[in-house]
Amino acid sequence: MRIESRFTMWANALAVALALTAAPASSAQPVPDYAKKIQTQLDSVDAKIRRGPFQANWSSLAGYRAPDWFRDAKFGIFLHWGVYSVPAFANEWYSRNMYVKGSPAYEYHRAVYGPQSKFGYKDFIPQFTASKFDPNAWLDLFVLAGARYIVPVAEHCDGFAMYDSNFTDWDAAKMGPKRDVVGELEKATRARGLHFGVSSHRAEHWWWYHEGTEYDSDVNDPRYAGIYGPAQPRTLPADSPTEEPNASHLERWLPPSKAYLDDWLARSTEVVDKYHPDFFYFDWWISQPAFAPYLQRMAAYYYDESAARKQGPVLTYKQEAFPPNSAVLDVERGKLDTLRLQPWQSDTSVSIKSWGYVKDDRYRTARSLLGDLIDIVSKNGNLLLNVGPESDGTIAPEIKEVLLQIGAWLEVNGEAIYGTRPWVLYGEGSTNAGAAGDETSHVYTAADLRFTTKGDVLYALGLAQPSGNRQVLIKTLYANSPYLRHAIARVTLLGSPTAVQWEQTPTGLLVHLPAPHDDLPYALKIETLVTSPVLPGSRARD
């Protein structure tokens, strides 16, 4: 089937059947006046942009500045929870991969649930009951973990919204749990004085279910266009349909249509209107060039609406979707290997195999995640740490244990993290921790140190405990170092009642540490007679 005719078929089906009501096995009911609702939303968006301080162009958006709350928070919790947690197989891409012939998810699905024509992804929705979901219990845990902002997935690539949407009935408020999950989490988050955010992965939905159109599956049934459409190919018309497009070159992918981009913007701004998020995260496919004018409208609207409510908004992007001064860069499962002048963020997961819950997953240790947090903060970044709850709303005990260990460490050492700013140098040591490769492969040594500052105080954080004589040499802080204007007056180990012995020598600041209580990183507080964390004649970085 030609691309144009297939999309026309989806668009027509969407106009009359998008967002089916009742259980998936029931007869379809259309969302009334869907096209009119989309246009009404877009008209409202554009009207508000015309009146707001930010306009929908890169020049105007260059006036954006990351708010202090984000720069102070440093640590947030990401939540991947949705229908994909019901099969809980391999990873959160199950909704797509179960339709990809020959994939492990395809074979697993047929073996466990039967052919995709008889049991499709939609049929997991009634099983997604969230019977043990308690947003207040979740937030109690996240507060103990030391998180300062919470970011649930509002809609994943699967097309099932976790919020109460006016544009689809394929959402958690009308199906499955029959609860506005995002709304409940917003209330619980704000009740604890934390900042609330959302993420959207709907951009990828354009091509998500395409493989299911190539054989007998429920993706081809127009009654389910609301969740499965548009199911377009990823490759350009001249390319082989079996070709795997390069994930770093989205210009080589089939671009979405205007109708789909209109739908994307309407739904994205709807989330802004309903939940007033302090933080908005987009996944990587917004880097497809066709999104560029829509991203400018989205950012201008979000910033204007936030300004009207006197909120400091954070909008994240990946790759080169935005100019660096118009939003906040996000690096997925990786880090930067240098100090960045603009604030940025890294997002990773406690779980290793998947972002959503899957059976037999493996989990990161508190030690490795704290190493990431320290390294990222020293380079002017934040860490957004993902948790994937089980389908009933339970958070696995392995995850809870890691979060509580992180929180206990932050309770003692948080002054070296929260509210800090980068120093002239992010740190020292030979271990490079860049964005490439497996982040779990970085093994820090006792020579790997990171710096942060707050006011007149410099913090040196050790990523690994020294062994043997328990000495650490901070080479950057040698006697007469140009990085400090005044002599060091006091060095203390956060959380330790024992005074540390130290000496500023011609080769560095030599510190003798007491015996450790655990193998987690440590933080030294360094004060001078009049401490200044800047080079002579330079201005402080903020």
Side-chain angles (χ1 to χ4, degrees):
M1 183 183 295
R2 292 172 60 238
I3 291 172
E4 293 86 349
S5 61
R6 182 180 292 140
F7 179 76
T8 300
M9 180 185 72
W10 171 80
N12 291 336
L14 187 64
V16 297
L18 181 70
L20 308 179
T21 60
S26 303
S27 59
Q29 299 294 328
V31 169
D33 300 321
Y34 171 75
K36 182 179 179 181
K37 285 185 176 181
I38 292 290
Q39 191 58 53
T40 298
Q41 177 71 9
L42 297 182
D43 289 344
S44 175
V45 166
D46 291 335
K48 290 182 178 179
I49 292 173
R50 286 193 293 269
R51 298 192 298 268
F54 286 93
Q55 298 302 304
N57 58 72
W58 295 135
S59 178
S60 177
L61 295 171
Y64 170 79
R65 295 293 181 271
D68 283 341
W69 78 256
F70 178 73
R71 302 194 67 192
D72 292 341
K74 303 304 182 187
F75 179 47
I77 294 292
F78 207 1
L79 287 161
H80 274 68
W81 191 45
V83 178
Y84 42 85
S85 64
V86 175
F89 178 81
N91 58 50
E92 77 286 354
W93 278 43
Y94 185 89
S95 55
R96 175 182 181 271
N97 293 341
M98 62 171 278
Y99 292 103
V100 179
K101 276 191 172 183
S103 73
Y106 175 89
E107 300 298 342
Y108 173 84
H109 187 87
R110 292 177 69 85
V112 176
Y113 301 105
Q116 286 77 352
S117 60
K118 302 297 184 183
F119 191 104
Y121 186 67
K122 69 183 186 308
D123 297 301
F124 288 117
I125 296 173
Q127 300 178 36
F128 182 49
T129 60
S131 59
K132 297 180 181 178
F133 170 50
D134 182 348
N136 289 307
W138 282 14
L139 264 295
D140 288 343
L141 173 63
F142 302 151
V143 168
L144 289 174
R148 298 294 173 87
Y149 56 110
I150 309 300
V151 184
V153 171
E155 182 177 343
H156 201 252
C157 318
D158 61 354
F160 187 80
M162 296 295 288
Y163 64 96
D164 188 5
S165 175
N166 295 332
F167 299 115
T168 179
D169 285 344
W170 293 93
D171 67 42
K174 306 177 189 72
M175 294 183 178
K178 295 186 177 178
R179 297 170 65 175
D180 183 354
V181 171
V182 170
E184 291 186 38
L185 284 169
E186 181 208 1
K187 291 177 182 177
T189 298
R190 298 200 193 280
R192 286 158 177 79
L194 304 184
H195 288 272
F196 181 74
V198 293
S199 82
S200 171
H201 310 247
R202 183 164 178 79
E204 290 84 348
H205 189 69
W206 165 255
W207 46 266
W208 195 252
Y209 290 106
H210 170 68
E211 278 75 8
T213 67
E214 300 188 325
Y215 59 93
D216 186 17
S217 85
D218 64 335
V219 173
N220 293 303
D221 192 327
R223 293 178 299 166
Y224 310 129
I227 189 168
Y228 293 140
Q232 289 295 292
R234 294 180 297 167
T235 54
L236 295 172
D239 293 330
S240 168
T242 61
E243 180 180 324
E244 185 74 19
N246 188 323
S248 297
H249 286 277
L250 299 186
E251 73 279 3
R252 302 174 190 172
W253 295 50
L254 181 74
S257 69
K258 179 182 183 302
Y260 188 75
L261 290 165
D262 287 347
D263 172 275
W264 174 87
L265 181 59
R267 296 200 192 199
S268 299
T269 53
E270 178 191 38
V271 175
V272 173
D273 294 342
K274 283 180 175 283
Y275 306 105
H276 312 308
D278 305 298
F279 178 103
F280 208 122
Y281 173 110
F282 283 119
D283 209 347
W284 109 103
W285 216 66
I286 62 165
S287 295
Q288 213 289 332
F291 278 92
Y294 286 81
L295 293 179
Q296 292 169 75
R297 291 163 75 188
M298 172 63 197
Y301 183 75
Y302 178 42
Y303 294 166
D304 287 342
E305 285 292 283
S306 298
R309 293 190 301 272
K310 301 188 185 307
Q311 285 179 286
V314 175
L315 178 63
T316 70
Y317 69 96
K318 296 178 182 177
Q319 298 176 343
E320 300 297 326
F322 280 79
N325 57 349
S326 61
V328 173
L329 174 68
D330 179 89
V331 180
E332 181 177 325
R333 285 199 190 265
K335 294 170 285 184
L336 301 182
D337 196 33
T338 186
L339 191 157
R340 189 173 190 264
L341 294 181
Q342 289 106 346
W344 62 284
Q345 177 182 265
S346 171
D347 64 292
T348 192
S349 186
V350 178
S351 51
I352 293 174
K353 294 181 181 179
S354 175
W355 292 83
Y357 172 78
V358 296
K359 305 177 187 74
D360 303 319
D361 209 335
R362 294 180 294 116
Y363 300 96
R364 298 280 302 277
T365 64
R367 178 185 178 185
S368 70
L369 289 168
L370 285 169
D372 283 352
L373 175 64
I374 293 166
D375 182 59
I376 290 163
V377 169
S378 73
K379 297 168 182 173
N380 207 20
N382 284 26
L383 174 62
L384 183 63
L385 180 62
N386 178 71
V387 169
E390 298 180 41
S391 62
D392 64 0
T394 301
I395 295 177
E398 298 94 335
I399 296 175
K400 287 183 178 180
E401 181 180 357
V402 170
L403 293 180
L404 292 174
Q405 288 177 358
I406 291 173
W409 187 90
L410 284 168
E411 183 70 22
V412 174
N413 300 283
E415 71 169 88
I417 299 293
Y418 301 123
T420 62
R421 296 294 183 267
W423 195 45
V424 177
L425 311 175
Y426 74 81
E428 59 185 59
S430 59
T431 305
N432 295 321
D438 181 1
E439 64 182 329
T440 62
S441 67
H442 300 299
V443 178
Y444 293 112
T445 71
D448 292 309
L449 302 163
R450 299 292 181 263
F451 301 119
T452 63
T453 64
K454 183 186 294 179
D456 290 334
V457 175
L458 172 66
Y459 298 94
L461 297 101
L463 295 174
Q465 292 280 350
S467 58
N469 59 11
R470 300 286 297 156
Q471 291 184 353
V472 59
L473 181 68
I474 307 176
K475 297 185 291 185
T476 307
L477 302 183
Y478 60 89
N480 299 317
S481 168
Y483 300 121
L484 290 174
R485 289 179 178 172
H486 302 278
I488 295 173
R490 187 175 182 220
V491 178
T492 54
L493 177 65
L494 295 185
S496 175
T498 305
V500 299
Q501 296 180 352
W502 59 273
E503 179 185 5
Q504 193 173 21
T505 74
T507 58
L509 176 63
L510 184 64
V511 182
H512 302 263
L513 298 177
H517 298 291
D518 51 44
D519 65 348
L520 300 180
Y522 62 90
L524 293 169
K525 182 176 183 178
I526 301 168
E527 299 168 274
T528 64
L529 296 174
V530 182
T531 306
S532 176
V534 296
L535 287 168
S538 66
R539 297 181 61 187
R541 270 195 186 117
D542 186 87

